[in-house]
Amino acid sequence: MNTSLNLAPPRPSIEEPVLENIADALRRDGYIVLHAPLPPSLLGGMLRHFRSIDDDHFKRAGIGREDEHQLDRSIRSDRIFWLDRDNPYVSAYLNWMETLRLGLNRHLILGLFDYECHYAYYQRGTCYKKHLDAFHGSTNRVLSTVLYLTPNWQPRDGGELAIYPSVLHGDPDAEEPLLRVTPRFGQMVIFLSEEFPHEVLPVQRARYSVTGWFRVNSSLGGTVDPAS
């Protein structure tokens, strides 16, 4: 019997030098790649949870929000499952992201209000073409995050995240990416949502990740803008 499934998840923390490094990179470059910010036991628990979810509970991901929301598999073909605190490993991850939110607010005065995230499942042959997570001045998403849960990733597996130069401070028409982030297990990338166009390159085997956004409070009539 595998008793590891019954163990309490770890409670990872963020040391102040790590917070400072993240804040400095976001201030200077607008993005950062963290190679192993979370313990393997937490990542393993999240991957087990991811794989335990029935396929029927994953929804086809769309593009746009509210009245402009649409499904277009030629642009985006992943499936998603929005996360809450029902699973202890997910809850531990959300606690870590809350610590990061508070730290970034302290260092950068971003006014980050909360964090929303979902599992993103890419089957073989799927992709997500070049896009922005937020348009300047028209949304409440400030920072995008991607945590990779794909075990034993190899270059032939594809699914890299191609990040293009900033549309505000770089070449908005650039065809070559600024960097390519490999979806290695445990790696995380954080970048400014309004500045960096990005795409998920074609996937050659199942790709697992957690995609999320730190948001500011964009409220209307006393109601906070819904997560999705």
Side-chain angles (χ1 to χ4, degrees), residues 159-178:
E160 297 93 340
L161 181 70
I163 298 180
Y164 293 85
S166 166
V167 295
L168 301 181
H169 305 291
D171 179 3
D173 299 318
E175 295 183 0
E176 288 298 316
L178 185 66

Side-chain angles (χ1 to χ4, degrees), residues 11-67:
R11 297 180 180 180
S13 60
I14 309 178
E15 301 296 331
E16 188 61 25
V18 176
L19 273 173
E20 292 176 358
N21 181 50
I22 296 171
D24 287 346
L26 291 175
R27 185 187 297 112
R28 180 184 64 248
D29 304 319
Y31 62 87
I32 186 172
V33 178
L34 303 171
H35 296 292
L38 293 162
S41 56
L42 176 56
L43 300 170
M46 293 184 72
L47 178 59
R48 289 193 297 272
H49 177 241
F50 196 137
R51 287 172 160 172
S52 73
I53 299 169
D54 191 279
D55 285 349
D56 291 342
H57 292 152
F58 278 83
K59 297 180 179 180
R60 281 184 54 192
I63 55 176
R65 302 187 74 186
E66 298 177 352
D67 293 341

Side-chain angles (χ1 to χ4, degrees), residues 68-183:
E68 297 180 355
H69 184 83
Q70 57 180 302
L71 300 175
D72 188 341
R73 291 186 64 81
S74 68
I75 297 175
R76 181 179 186 182
S77 46
D78 60 318
R79 293 187 295 145
I80 63 174
F81 179 88
W82 288 95
L83 295 175
D84 54 32
R85 292 185 175 273
D86 286 347
N87 178 271
Y89 289 93
V90 173
S91 184
Y93 172 69
L94 293 175
N95 287 341
W96 191 87
M97 298 305 283
E98 173 65 7
T99 301
L100 179 59
R101 182 186 73 84
L102 295 173
L104 292 178
N105 278 344
R106 187 171 69 251
H107 284 281
L108 300 177
I109 318 177
L110 291 174
L112 302 177
F113 177 70
D114 70 353
Y115 179 73
E116 59 178 0
C117 63
H118 59 62
Y119 286 144
Y121 176 54
Y122 286 82
Q123 295 176 307
R124 182 176 181 180
T126 58
C127 66
Y128 191 171
K129 292 186 177 179
K130 188 177 178 181
H131 65 283
L132 278 168
D133 281 349
F135 293 102
H136 187 61
S138 64
T139 186
N140 60 4
R141 288 176 173 174
V142 176
L143 284 177
S144 301
T145 72
V146 185
L147 170 67
Y148 296 104
L149 296 176
T150 305
N152 304 313
W153 180 87
Q154 301 295 323
R156 63 178 179 274
D157 299 332
E160 297 93 340
L161 181 70
I163 298 180
Y164 293 85
S166 166
V167 295
L168 301 181
H169 305 291
D171 179 3
D173 299 318
E175 295 183 0
E176 288 298 316
L178 185 66
L179 73 158
R180 294 190 182 198
V181 183
T182 57

